[in-house]
Amino acid sequence: MRSVFFISDGTGITAETLGHSLLAQFDDLEIRQARRPFVDTVEKALDCVEQLNACRARDGVRSIVFATVVDPEVRRTLDAADAYIVDLFDRFLEPLAAELDRRPTHNVGRFQQVAQSQAYLSRIEAINFTLAHDDGVTDRDLEQADVILIGVSRSGKTPTSIYLAMQFAVRAANYPLIPEDFERNHLPGALEAHRAKLFGLSIDPLRLHQIRTERRPNSRYAALDNCIYEVTAAQRLMRREGVRWLESTTKSIEEIAITILQTVQIERPGF
């Protein structure tokens, strides 16, 4: 068991994302993780040092620290801890500065500027649009969508849509395929004018049965034979209508989102 700290003078999202990516390369590694965001003063850094030294005494091994801290004095304070520190800014910022032949600002709180940027505002607008167009609640303004996800209920449409909006500022609507669509063997009428934006998600029927059973146990909705019917019918319908789709069962939301971006060729502002 190793203690892993994600320390940042901001939200810590960068430190945690890259730290997890690196740790994932080590099989059977058990970690106890702690997040320490907004460490932007020496006093806060000293508190972190105290915690890191306490973990060293308790665990018998050094804690691993993934840090994104721009203030040199705060960084030097953290260096005093008896821990293995991966300074992500130091590893990348200085070589990048040398290549660009200019010095970084070392300003703390850059997220305040980000929050006022057009890219950030676009992301907020995308999130609002996606929440308003979840699960076919409305078909108004679908022409503003970057992508419209379709599939049977509980096939992963909502979490994928939200991830696309939050991470990539993509206006993602999602629309369920229901038994009435399968009986007509035709797409819902509201989607006809937006075929180029459609992307389908499918799922293994057994996994769908498990998910639906947790939601509505002992219901026709969750019955395995009904799940098999709906998945098979949805795939047949999407093939007939020429809708691009993928099987989501073994894929992460991140993998699904990137596949959608590449397939639909969506380019949105981001940061």
Side-chain angles (χ1 to χ4, degrees):
M1 177 70 70
R2 297 294 290 265
S3 294
V4 177
F5 283 73
F6 303 99
I7 300 178
S8 175
D9 53 22
T11 62
I13 293 174
T14 300
E16 191 165 353
T17 300
L18 185 52
H20 280 147
S21 296
L22 294 173
L23 292 173
Q25 301 301 313
F26 300 92
D27 293 334
D28 302 323
L29 176 65
E30 295 185 52
I31 66 171
R32 180 190 300 111
Q33 62 181 10
R35 301 171 183 85
R36 297 295 180 267
F38 309 116
V39 179
D40 51 7
T41 66
V42 170
E43 290 73 23
K44 293 178 181 178
L46 287 171
D47 287 340
C48 289
V49 170
E50 185 177 339
Q51 295 172 44
L52 290 168
N53 289 341
C55 282
R56 175 69 172 88
R58 181 194 66 200
D59 298 342
V61 291
R62 294 189 296 174
S63 297
I64 299 170
V65 178
F66 294 97
T68 51
V69 177
V70 298
D71 185 280
E73 191 173 0
V74 174
R75 285 159 59 185
R76 283 194 296 270
T77 302
L78 289 174
D79 287 339
D82 189 4
Y84 179 73
I85 299 178
V86 181
D87 189 330
L88 299 174
F89 277 175
D90 183 59
R91 296 285 177 92
F92 299 111
L93 201 56
E94 293 305 319
L96 184 59
E99 176 63 27
L100 296 174
D101 193 25
R102 62 179 62 195
R103 301 307 303 163
T105 61
H106 292 293
N107 287 341
V108 178
R110 299 289 287 181
F111 275 92
Q112 295 177 1
Q113 297 176 27
V114 167
Q116 299 172 3
S117 69
Q118 185 56 51
Y120 183 81
L121 295 176
S122 295
R123 188 164 65 160
I124 295 301
E125 291 174 0
I127 293 171
N128 288 333
F129 180 90
T130 295
L131 293 176
H133 292 79
D134 180 43
D135 205 31
V137 170
T138 178
D139 55 17
R140 293 180 57 188
D141 304 321
L142 281 180
E143 67 277 359
Q144 297 180 21
D146 296 308
V147 65
I148 304 170
L149 303 184
I150 63 173
V152 300
S153 172
R154 317 308 292 181
S155 59
K157 301 184 302 300
T158 293
T160 302
S161 297
I162 294 173
Y163 182 82
L164 283 166
M166 294 185 64
Q167 195 71 16
F168 302 106
V170 168
R171 297 187 179 206
N174 73 79
Y175 214 93
L177 294 177
I178 59 177
E180 286 80 359
D181 299 319
F182 308 142
E183 292 170 7
R184 291 193 307 265
N185 198 25
H186 205 278
L187 287 172
L191 304 181
E192 280 291 342
H194 309 288
R195 284 176 173 269
K197 297 180 179 181
L198 299 183
F199 192 95
L201 295 182
S202 189
I203 187 172
D204 179 77
L206 181 58
R207 177 57 182 151
L208 182 63
H209 164 66
Q210 294 169 343
I211 295 172
R212 288 184 173 183
T213 297
E214 293 176 2
R215 185 176 178 84
R216 297 184 195 171
N218 303 315
S219 66
R220 179 60 186 163
Y221 169 76
L224 180 57
D225 64 327
N226 182 61
C227 292
I228 293 173
Y229 163 72
E230 287 194 24
V231 169
T232 302
Q235 291 181 359
R236 182 168 58 244
L237 176 60
M238 289 187 289
R239 288 193 186 97
R240 178 182 178 279
E241 298 289 344
V243 175
R244 299 156 294 186
W245 61 277
L246 64 78
E247 225 269 13
S248 65
T249 310
T250 60
K251 297 183 182 298
S252 67
I253 290 177
E254 293 85 353
E255 290 176 303
I256 296 170
I258 294 300
T259 301
I260 292 171
L261 290 176
Q262 289 180 321
T263 305
V264 185
Q265 297 183 337
I266 302 170
E267 295 292 343
R268 298 294 292 173
F271 64 88

